Structure formats: C-alpha cells, structure tokens
Tab-separated table of all heavy atoms in Angstrom:
chain	number	residue	atom	x	y	z
A	257	VAL	N	108.699	103.158	94.625
A	257	VAL	CA	107.646	104.043	95.197
A	257	VAL	C	106.698	103.231	96.093
A	257	VAL	O	106.000	103.832	96.948
A	257	VAL	CB	106.858	104.726	94.096
A	257	VAL	CG1	107.763	105.681	93.336
A	257	VAL	CG2	106.238	103.733	93.150
A	258	GLN	N	106.633	101.910	95.907
A	258	GLN	CA	105.701	101.107	96.703
A	258	GLN	C	106.005	101.147	98.184
A	258	GLN	O	105.064	100.998	99.004
A	258	GLN	CB	105.731	99.636	96.213
A	258	GLN	CG	105.213	99.413	94.837
A	258	GLN	CD	106.226	99.709	93.724
A	258	GLN	OE1	107.367	100.101	94.022
A	258	GLN	NE2	105.803	99.571	92.481
A	259	ILE	N	107.250	101.416	98.538
A	259	ILE	CA	107.618	101.501	99.959
A	259	ILE	C	106.859	102.625	100.637
A	259	ILE	O	106.204	102.426	101.654
A	259	ILE	CB	109.168	101.706	100.122
A	259	ILE	CG1	109.936	100.524	99.553
A	259	ILE	CG2	109.483	101.987	101.597
A	259	ILE	CD1	111.418	100.724	99.574
A	260	SER	N	106.910	103.803	100.023
A	260	SER	CA	106.179	104.953	100.600
A	260	SER	C	104.678	104.781	100.484
A	260	SER	O	103.941	105.140	101.416
A	260	SER	CB	106.645	106.206	99.858
A	260	SER	OG	108.024	106.423	100.026
A	261	GLN	N	104.253	104.202	99.358
A	261	GLN	CA	102.796	104.065	99.166
A	261	GLN	C	102.187	103.194	100.235
A	261	GLN	O	101.165	103.517	100.839
A	261	GLN	CB	102.541	103.474	97.776
A	261	GLN	CG	102.842	104.435	96.658
A	261	GLN	CD	102.650	103.770	95.247
A	261	GLN	OE1	102.193	102.612	95.178
A	261	GLN	NE2	102.941	104.490	94.223
A	262	VAL	N	102.780	102.022	100.466
A	262	VAL	CA	102.256	101.070	101.446
A	262	VAL	C	102.325	101.680	102.828
A	262	VAL	O	101.377	101.503	103.651
A	262	VAL	CB	103.035	99.738	101.422
A	262	VAL	CG1	102.690	98.877	102.597
A	262	VAL	CG2	102.724	99.004	100.096
A	263	ALA	N	103.393	102.365	103.168
A	263	ALA	CA	103.510	102.997	104.516
A	263	ALA	C	102.407	104.006	104.725
A	263	ALA	O	101.779	104.050	105.806
A	263	ALA	CB	104.889	103.624	104.647
A	264	VAL	N	102.155	104.867	103.732
A	264	VAL	CA	101.114	105.887	103.864
A	264	VAL	C	99.729	105.225	103.909
A	264	VAL	O	98.857	105.630	104.659
A	264	VAL	CB	101.214	106.915	102.717
A	264	VAL	CG1	100.021	107.886	102.797
A	264	VAL	CG2	102.527	107.699	102.834
A	265	ASN	N	99.566	104.188	103.107
A	265	ASN	CA	98.300	103.445	103.147
A	265	ASN	C	97.986	102.963	104.565
A	265	ASN	O	96.890	103.061	105.092
A	265	ASN	CB	98.338	102.217	102.203
A	265	ASN	CG	98.124	102.567	100.765
A	265	ASN	OD1	97.341	103.423	100.455
A	265	ASN	ND2	98.859	101.931	99.891
A	266	PHE	N	99.026	102.399	105.178
A	266	PHE	CA	98.885	101.762	106.487
A	266	PHE	C	98.546	102.789	107.580
A	266	PHE	O	97.571	102.638	108.323
A	266	PHE	CB	100.196	101.073	106.832
A	266	PHE	CG	100.161	100.303	108.099
A	266	PHE	CD1	99.398	99.162	108.265
A	266	PHE	CD2	100.954	100.706	109.181
A	266	PHE	CE1	99.376	98.456	109.445
A	266	PHE	CE2	100.936	99.980	110.395
A	266	PHE	CZ	100.149	98.870	110.497
A	267	ILE	N	99.290	103.900	107.629
A	267	ILE	CA	99.006	104.893	108.723
A	267	ILE	C	97.755	105.670	108.424
A	267	ILE	O	97.017	106.052	109.366
A	267	ILE	CB	100.211	105.847	108.919
A	267	ILE	CG1	100.530	106.633	107.671
A	267	ILE	CG2	101.419	105.073	109.379
A	267	ILE	CD1	101.595	107.714	107.892
A	268	ALA	N	97.416	105.877	107.155
A	268	ALA	CA	96.179	106.556	106.830
A	268	ALA	C	94.948	105.755	107.252
A	268	ALA	O	93.983	106.289	107.781
A	268	ALA	CB	96.077	106.867	105.319
A	269	SER	N	95.019	104.468	107.056
A	269	SER	CA	93.925	103.576	107.473
A	269	SER	C	93.744	103.582	108.968
A	269	SER	O	92.629	103.688	109.484
A	269	SER	CB	94.174	102.126	106.980
A	269	SER	OG	93.206	101.287	107.481
A	270	MET	N	94.838	103.534	109.720
A	270	MET	CA	94.774	103.567	111.181
A	270	MET	C	94.169	104.899	111.667
A	270	MET	O	93.377	104.914	112.569
A	270	MET	CB	96.137	103.286	111.786
A	270	MET	CG	96.636	101.903	111.627
A	270	MET	SD	97.999	101.483	112.740
A	270	MET	CE	99.315	102.539	112.075
A	271	GLN	N	94.595	105.954	111.018
A	271	GLN	CA	94.103	107.292	111.418
A	271	GLN	C	92.626	107.424	111.118
A	271	GLN	O	91.833	107.897	111.940
A	271	GLN	CB	94.884	108.369	110.710
A	271	GLN	CG	94.451	109.758	111.111
A	271	GLN	CD	95.333	110.834	110.463
A	271	GLN	OE1	96.549	110.854	110.586
A	271	GLN	NE2	94.674	111.716	109.705
A	272	TYR	N	92.234	106.962	109.915
A	272	TYR	CA	90.821	107.048	109.568
A	272	TYR	C	89.931	106.230	110.520
A	272	TYR	O	88.843	106.670	110.871
A	272	TYR	CB	90.685	106.525	108.100
A	272	TYR	CG	89.261	106.463	107.608
A	272	TYR	CD1	88.359	107.483	107.802
A	272	TYR	CD2	88.826	105.341	106.843
A	272	TYR	CE1	87.050	107.391	107.308
A	272	TYR	CE2	87.540	105.239	106.352
A	272	TYR	CZ	86.646	106.286	106.592
A	272	TYR	OH	85.386	106.198	106.113
A	273	ASN	N	90.397	105.089	110.908
A	273	ASN	CA	89.632	104.226	111.785
A	273	ASN	C	89.630	104.672	113.233
A	273	ASN	O	88.755	104.323	114.014
A	273	ASN	CB	90.140	102.769	111.682
A	273	ASN	CG	89.197	101.769	112.330
A	273	ASN	OD1	87.955	101.807	112.061
A	273	ASN	ND2	89.674	100.922	113.190
A	274	THR	N	90.614	105.480	113.616
A	274	THR	CA	90.759	105.901	115.022
A	274	THR	C	90.006	107.215	115.279
A	274	THR	O	89.294	107.338	116.278
A	274	THR	CB	92.245	106.094	115.345
A	274	THR	OG1	92.903	104.813	115.207
A	274	THR	CG2	92.418	106.581	116.791
A	275	PHE	N	90.182	108.196	114.402
A	275	PHE	CA	89.574	109.502	114.615
A	275	PHE	C	88.270	109.575	113.825
A	275	PHE	O	88.279	109.743	112.593
A	275	PHE	CB	90.535	110.613	114.206
A	275	PHE	CG	91.740	110.673	115.041
A	275	PHE	CD1	92.914	109.995	114.675
A	275	PHE	CD2	91.744	111.432	116.220
A	275	PHE	CE1	94.069	110.009	115.471
A	275	PHE	CE2	92.914	111.493	117.000
A	275	PHE	CZ	94.054	110.767	116.628
A	276	ARG	N	87.138	109.407	114.510
A	276	ARG	CA	85.857	109.229	113.833
A	276	ARG	C	84.858	110.391	114.023
A	276	ARG	O	84.051	110.629	113.129
A	276	ARG	CB	85.191	107.937	114.337
A	276	ARG	CG	86.034	106.702	114.096
A	276	ARG	CD	85.267	105.435	114.571
A	276	ARG	NE	86.107	104.250	114.424
A	276	ARG	CZ	85.663	103.028	114.726
A	276	ARG	NH1	84.468	102.884	115.200
A	276	ARG	NH2	86.495	102.002	114.583
A	277	GLN	N	84.929	111.061	115.157
A	277	GLN	CA	83.948	112.181	115.411
A	277	GLN	C	84.663	113.342	116.010
A	277	GLN	O	85.423	113.230	116.988
A	277	GLN	CB	82.826	111.710	116.322
A	277	GLN	CG	81.840	110.762	115.677
A	277	GLN	CD	80.592	110.558	116.512
A	277	GLN	OE1	80.296	111.352	117.395
A	277	GLN	NE2	79.875	109.487	116.235
A	278	ALA	N	84.418	114.501	115.454
A	278	ALA	CA	84.945	115.756	115.984
A	278	ALA	C	83.812	116.411	116.778
A	278	ALA	O	82.893	117.000	116.206
A	278	ALA	CB	85.404	116.671	114.870
A	279	GLU	N	83.917	116.335	118.100
A	279	GLU	CA	82.907	116.927	118.992
A	279	GLU	C	81.485	116.586	118.535
A	279	GLU	O	80.590	117.428	118.435
A	279	GLU	CB	83.131	118.442	119.038
A	279	GLU	CG	84.429	118.835	119.673
A	279	GLU	CD	84.661	120.306	119.817
A	279	GLU	OE1	83.687	121.055	119.737
A	279	GLU	OE2	85.826	120.713	120.018
A	280	GLY	N	81.290	115.247	118.312
A	280	GLY	CA	79.963	114.757	118.023
A	280	GLY	C	79.578	114.692	116.523
A	280	GLY	O	78.570	114.118	116.203
C-alpha cells in the first residue's frame, strides 16, 4: 500500500502548494 500512499502524498503536496487562492 505504500506505493499508492507515497504517490498520493507527493501529488497532493504539489497541488496544495500550487493552488493557493480562489479569486482572491
């Protein structure tokens, strides 16, 4: 299960850090 866990951790972090404000 660690394969999927690490992969989701990785893309979730990138998404969280990239999309920061919705129309202000």
Side-chain angles (χ1 to χ4, degrees):
V257 295
Q258 292 82 2
I259 296 174
S260 300
Q261 290 175 5
V262 168
V264 174
N265 282 322
F266 184 67
I267 61 174
S269 176
M270 289 196 294
Q271 182 177 303
Y272 176 44
N273 194 47
T274 299
F275 295 91
R276 301 182 184 181
Q277 288 192 18
E279 297 183 16

